[in-house]
Amino acid sequence: MPSLTRSEALTRAARIAVDSMEVDLDLDRGPQHFGSRTTIRFTCREPGAETFVDLRAHEVHALSLNGTDVDPASVTDGRLALTGLAQTNVLEVDATMAYSHDGQGLHRSTDPADGEDYVYGHLFLDAAPTVFACFDQPDLKAPYTLTVTAPTAWTVLGNGAATLLAPGRTALATTQPLASYFVTVCAGPWASVRAEHDGIPLGIHARRSLEPHLRDQAQQMIDVTAACFDEYHRLFGIRYPFGEYHQVFVPEFNAGAMENPGCVTFRDQMIFRGAATPDQVFQRSNTIAHEMAHMWFGDLVTMRWWDDLWLNESFAEYMAYRVTSAVGGFDEPWVEFGVMRKLWGYAAERAPSTHPVAGSPAPDALSALGNFDGISYAKGASVLRQLIAHIGDDAFVAGVGEYLRSHAFGNGELAEFIVAIEGAAGRSLTAWSAAWLQTAGADRIGLEGDVLTRVAPEAHPADRAHTLDVAAFVGGREVARVELVVDGERTPVPGLADVPAGALIVPNASDLTWAEVALDAATIDGLPGNLADVPDASARSVLWVSLLGSVARGEVDPRTVLSVFVAAWPREDSAAVLSRVSLLMTNQVVPLFLPPGEQEGARARVADAADALLERSASVAGASGDALAVLAARVWARTGVDEDRLRRWAAGDGIPEVLVGDDDFRWSVLRRLATFGVLGDDEIAAAEAADRSLAGSLAALGVRAVRPTAQAKEWAWGRLRDDADLSNYAALAIAGGFWTAPDAALVRPYVAQVGDLLVGLSGRMGDDAVSRVVSAMHPTSLVEDGTLEASAAMLARADLTPGVRRALVDANHELREALASRRRFD
């Protein structure tokens, strides 16, 4: 079906305005389909003109426009042409829709723990027409009134406050004007914790089988929610405008969360079943703050078209870290931002799919999907930090408030935002916007003696001024820190000439700007013995990010990074650094950049580092020691080579006490055992029987797929290729284990078939789901010229959807980076 183009959206928005949406959903028709009745009242500015409405139904029963019946067969390719429009119009649609199993539209999932079904709406990016008829574009906002029929045991939640009209019949209060992709309904036998803060009713909900964990963790989430509301009200001077505030943790959710006004949805892995490290709790809290920021940036004021996605995501990203830093009670949130989010963003900048923060071309809705990446999030947030450094925080906050007030319940775009900020700052931002927002690429900064150099990327030249600092460390002490504005290619750094020899010198030490840091050779040589002693967590994060980025660019031998990891990582204190760096070591550096013959030895060294951290954790009291033990044990479970110890750990023998009874950890151990080919069907079945949860069911799929046998790979491939009922999460679980093999010959025959497999999945799942499977299913771990040839052949296909193509471009780039590194350092 065609994706809405920007040209079509402009024409339609110029012609009509939507006055109201009334939607009646019947969710009590069984597991496959639901009823949908829609009444749209809209105005046409050009009476007699025509337009079209979006509708992707399983079956259309009746249509009428202004009281005149319309042939249901006239719906073609997801569109219904509307001709002879009056000044005021009423369109009525009666249809049967299909539930999805890919996390888009109205998704229905069965919880294997108790057999209960749950339904939630995720109408991003263009899935609204699979739930109700609508004018599906972000600038045709309207108030929505929903009524829902559901099984009597279910609770119905949505954008408006719920009122039970009769058993099984719920009315949701009419909303403020919303874009169609923000509408949601969440229905099922939810476990709920309710509260109130500052007159705002709050609710936190999850599947009933997660109720004990929900109740244990709900108060922390309520406290974060309340603190964030207070800070956003203080910052913006605009109260939350959407009534009640529900946060629903839903199964098989593609993204981290979705900012539906009044009813935010989150992936329910954020309700932790076992041990949770500080960085995991922070990430959940930060996600709560991020989605709440969207109530203003995205929901109150919505981008006019998808090329201004940054007006949603960059702001929510920045505001979440700002607010959790101010009121969240967390240590060093910006350290997590650097090592987690900026690493993601710098990787996106290196790829051929890089794009500007603002104004990235989005000729149609689906093409915008690829721009939900580290540039729109991490780079955009970093650019806003530089804007504040440029104009001052007071001007920034005042300009943002003006922008929100002047566009409330409507739409905005880059030019309008810049006008509001210029008004508050009293200066032109045209040149600044062109360099930072409208030009792709990351500058590289480094040191030549006491001069800081700045090099813009050749493909995307721009003159960006950077506000940053440079710090030097010797023997665990900070011996110098210089703040400066870098506004040329070479900027002297006063005071560095007096720094002792052997110092670690860190450009952008506070991680204030968006620029890749090139470390000098002396600093790299000193990292193994000195990195862990740097007292500034932000500077340590910058050093790790620079080192890992240099490996990806083929500038530093991956063996150097391994040596730094073994020496410095076990002595690290930041949970975010410990978690992210170890994940990149085990998932990227070792399997992609080291030759196959060195990989098991490297994993053994990583496991030894994990043991060193585990030993250290025993000397650290309380929750801090438990957190170190969990992080260490998780890394050892991914890399350990001692089969006997793995089997003891799988049985719960000898593991850190904090992990006793942790099913997710046990599955991680079982997955490692499965990679050795020593885990049989009976053992996997017994583990699954002991953990009859959705997480356990998915983990079992991954364990089965990871086994290094021809039968296991044939089974996994067949499920991905042929199982029409495979959910988005099940497909991802299988794909994530498929390419693991001690001998590449086991999986090499499948490489040439990946393109056909992905196209087949595209016929059964939406782009949001399939693009995530692509990242796991691309044979990147087979770092060979033949894989690159097969990847190029995939990209040459004409039958790829935009989301699949973008994901393949990025996977192809990652493979090219690995190949280039191996050619240089093997």
Side-chain angles (χ1 to χ4, degrees):
M1 295 184 182
S3 177
L4 182 71
T5 68
R6 180 176 186 176
S7 175
E8 290 172 326
L10 286 170
T11 299
R12 190 160 62 174
R15 189 162 290 169
I16 68 165
V18 186
D19 301 314
S20 69
M21 295 283 300
E22 298 171 18
V23 180
D24 187 2
L25 301 177
D26 184 354
L27 310 184
D28 200 16
R29 296 187 182 182
Q32 301 300 322
H33 301 106
F34 61 95
S36 173
R37 297 176 63 92
T38 310
T39 301
I40 307 175
R41 303 179 191 279
F42 65 101
T43 304
C44 178
R45 300 182 182 91
E46 305 169 18
E50 62 181 51
T51 190
F52 62 92
V53 72
D54 302 293
L55 175 62
R56 303 204 301 272
H58 173 71
E59 183 179 359
V60 180
H61 305 296
L63 300 167
S64 71
L65 177 63
N66 298 330
T68 300
D69 290 343
V70 178
D71 184 0
S74 60
V75 178
T76 305
D77 288 335
R79 296 178 175 182
L80 171 65
L82 304 175
T83 59
L85 296 176
Q87 183 173 352
T88 60
N89 302 272
V90 179
L91 176 68
E92 296 177 286
V93 179
D94 182 7
T96 295
M97 305 296 205
Y99 289 113
S100 81
H101 302 288
D102 64 357
Q104 297 175 241
L106 202 59
H107 180 97
R108 186 166 182 138
S109 176
T110 301
D111 188 345
D114 54 17
E116 295 286 1
D117 278 12
Y118 295 85
V119 168
Y120 64 86
H122 183 60
L123 305 194
F124 168 88
L125 174 131
D126 66 343
T130 66
V131 180
F132 49 79
C134 59
F135 298 105
D136 191 27
Q137 59 189 73
D139 58 344
L140 287 178
K141 300 172 77 169
Y144 279 77
T145 304
L146 269 72
T147 48
V148 181
T149 301
T152 55
W154 286 14
T155 299
V156 176
L157 305 163
N159 306 99
T163 300
L164 190 64
L165 302 176
R169 186 71 173 158
T170 300
L172 299 174
T174 300
T175 70
Q176 296 282 6
L178 304 181
S180 52
Y181 78 98
F182 288 138
V183 178
T184 193
V185 168
C186 300
W190 304 109
S192 301
V193 175
R194 296 176 185 268
E196 184 174 308
H197 176 72
D198 193 19
I200 304 169
L202 308 176
I204 300 180
H205 316 268
R207 286 177 288 134
R208 191 162 61 186
S209 64
L210 292 172
E211 183 168 7
H213 309 296
L214 173 70
R215 296 200 177 278
D216 285 345
Q217 298 164 46
Q219 190 60 53
Q220 187 270 339
M221 292 186 276
I222 289 170
D223 290 346
V224 169
T225 300
C228 289
F229 265 129
D230 289 345
E231 184 66 2
Y232 285 133
H233 287 160
R234 185 190 72 80
L235 279 172
F236 304 144
I238 303 171
R239 279 191 60 82
Y240 167 70
F242 296 109
E244 297 184 357
Y245 195 74
H246 296 279
Q247 297 175 95
V248 191
F249 293 81
V250 300
E252 300 176 331
F253 197 68
N254 284 322
M258 179 64 198
E259 64 269 22
N260 313 302
C263 191
V264 179
T265 43
F266 299 78
R267 57 169 51 208
D268 63 9
Q269 291 98 323
M270 292 185 188
I271 303 295
F272 308 120
R273 301 197 308 157
T277 56
D279 61 301
Q280 288 179 291
V281 176
F282 169 74
Q283 286 168 27
R284 180 178 67 191
S285 301
N286 186 262
T287 304
I288 288 171
H290 179 108
E291 302 310 319
M292 189 185 292
H294 275 308
M295 298 300 121
W296 289 266
F297 293 98
D299 298 2
L300 178 66
V301 182
T302 308
M303 62 198 169
R304 189 161 283 116
W305 181 246
W306 299 103
D307 55 354
D308 270 318
L309 166 69
W310 79 287
L311 286 170
N312 289 15
E313 299 303 345
S314 299
F315 279 90
E317 181 91 343
Y318 167 73
M319 287 294 174
Y321 281 94
R322 174 174 177 149
V323 167
T324 51
S325 296
V327 302
F330 297 99
D331 295 332
E332 301 164 336
W334 288 109
V335 174
E336 195 269 359
F337 176 73
V339 76
M340 299 284 285
R341 306 298 277 183
K342 291 182 78 171
L343 258 174
W344 174 42
Y346 289 141
E349 285 276 55
R350 293 194 305 270
S353 56
T354 187
H355 58 85
V357 172
S360 182
D364 60 77
L366 275 183
S367 68
L369 183 63
N371 293 335
F372 284 80
D373 60 10
I375 295 171
S376 296
Y377 287 74
K379 181 180 180 179
S382 299
V383 168
L384 291 176
R385 295 183 83 186
Q386 284 294 296
L387 175 60
I388 291 168
H390 185 59
I391 66 171
D393 192 62
D394 289 346
F396 174 77
V397 171
V400 164
E402 173 58 27
Y403 171 74
L404 292 173
R405 283 186 291 273
S406 61
H407 294 80
F409 302 112
N411 300 84
E413 57 190 22
L414 170 64
E416 293 164 330
F417 170 77
I418 293 297
V419 166
I421 300 297
E422 286 177 333
R427 69 175 78 173
S428 171
L429 293 174
T430 300
W432 183 92
S433 176
W436 278 106
L437 290 174
Q438 296 167 274
T439 305
D443 293 348
R444 295 197 69 188
I445 57 175
L447 284 168
E448 293 180 2
D450 60 354
V451 173
L452 191 139
T453 63
R454 186 201 71 186
V455 179
E458 291 184 10
H460 307 286
D463 185 13
R464 304 178 185 90
H466 299 260
T467 300
L468 51 79
D469 59 359
V470 178
F473 304 90
V474 174
R477 295 180 300 110
E478 181 180 308
V479 297
R481 186 176 294 264
V482 181
E483 298 179 357
L484 66 159
V485 175
V486 178
D487 57 2
E489 294 182 355
R490 298 178 64 82
T491 304
V493 185
L496 284 191
D498 300 327
V499 170
L504 295 183
I505 304 178
V506 188
N508 195 31
S510 296
D511 206 13
L512 295 176
T513 195
W514 181 262
E516 292 196 287
V517 172
L519 299 176
D520 62 86
T523 295
I524 292 175
D525 289 343
L527 289 178
N530 298 300
L531 173 54
D533 294 323
V534 172
D536 182 339
S538 288
R540 295 198 307 275
S541 170
V542 169
L543 289 167
W544 277 115
V545 169
S546 173
L547 192 61
L548 291 162
S550 296
V551 169
R553 291 191 299 269
E555 298 167 351
V556 170
D557 191 328
R559 298 168 188 86
T560 299
V561 183
L562 181 61
S563 296
V564 175
F565 181 88
V566 170
W569 183 83
R571 300 171 57 207
E572 177 60 56
D573 292 320
S574 166
V577 173
L578 284 165
S579 177
R580 184 61 175 174
V581 170
S582 62
L583 193 65
L584 287 169
M585 285 299 300
T586 58
N587 289 5
Q588 289 187 355
V589 175
V590 172
L592 299 187
F593 291 90
L594 288 176
E598 297 181 28
Q599 290 178 12
E600 276 308 296
R603 289 190 184 95
R605 292 184 68 188
V606 171
D608 288 343
D611 267 337
L613 180 60
L614 194 58
E615 182 177 353
R616 177 183 158 217
S617 72
S619 65
V620 179
S624 297
D626 285 345
L628 294 178
V630 170
L631 287 160
R634 287 174 177 170
V635 174
W636 197 92
R638 295 200 301 268
T639 57
V641 296
D642 184 338
E643 182 183 333
D644 290 339
R645 181 175 169 185
L646 284 165
R647 286 195 174 278
R648 290 196 304 273
W649 276 24
D653 180 15
I655 62 175
E657 186 175 351
V658 67
L659 288 169
V660 172
D662 189 321
D663 286 324
D664 293 332
F665 179 73
R666 181 168 59 92
W667 279 114
S668 180
V669 176
L670 291 173
R671 186 183 180 97
R672 180 62 175 159
L673 277 169
T675 65
F676 299 145
V678 298
L679 206 62
D681 290 335
D682 291 345
E683 292 174 283
I684 299 173
E688 193 171 10
D691 181 15
R692 292 193 176 279
S693 66
L694 180 58
S697 175
L698 294 167
L701 289 175
V703 168
R704 290 187 173 96
V706 84
R707 291 179 295 175
T709 67
Q711 293 82 3
K713 302 308 178 185
E714 289 170 5
W715 168 84
W717 190 269
R719 287 292 303 272
L720 289 167
R721 181 191 60 208
D722 301 329
D723 188 347
D725 295 324
L726 201 65
S727 74
N728 52 331
Y729 269 37
L732 195 57
I734 295 170
F738 181 81
W739 295 108
T740 301
D743 182 358
L746 183 64
V747 291
R748 193 177 286 123
Y750 292 95
V751 170
Q753 305 174 53
V754 172
D756 288 339
L757 178 74
L758 296 175
V759 169
L761 284 171
S762 294
R764 310 197 306 263
M765 296 181 182
D767 258 24
D768 197 20
V770 178
S771 62
R772 299 168 199 273
V773 177
V774 171
S775 299
M777 203 60 214
H778 188 275
T780 309
S781 58
L782 272 69
V783 185
E784 303 170 348
D785 288 332
T787 308
L788 187 60
E789 293 171 5
S791 182
M794 293 180 219
L795 283 168
R797 297 180 65 130
D799 52 357
L800 302 177
T801 62
V804 170
R805 183 174 297 281
R806 167 61 189 271
L808 282 174
V809 166
D810 291 346
N812 178 277
H813 172 71
E814 189 176 9
L815 175 61
R816 287 178 181 276
E817 287 187 331
L819 276 168
S821 175
R822 287 202 190 176
R823 286 170 183 149
R824 179 174 180 184
F825 295 111
D826 280 7

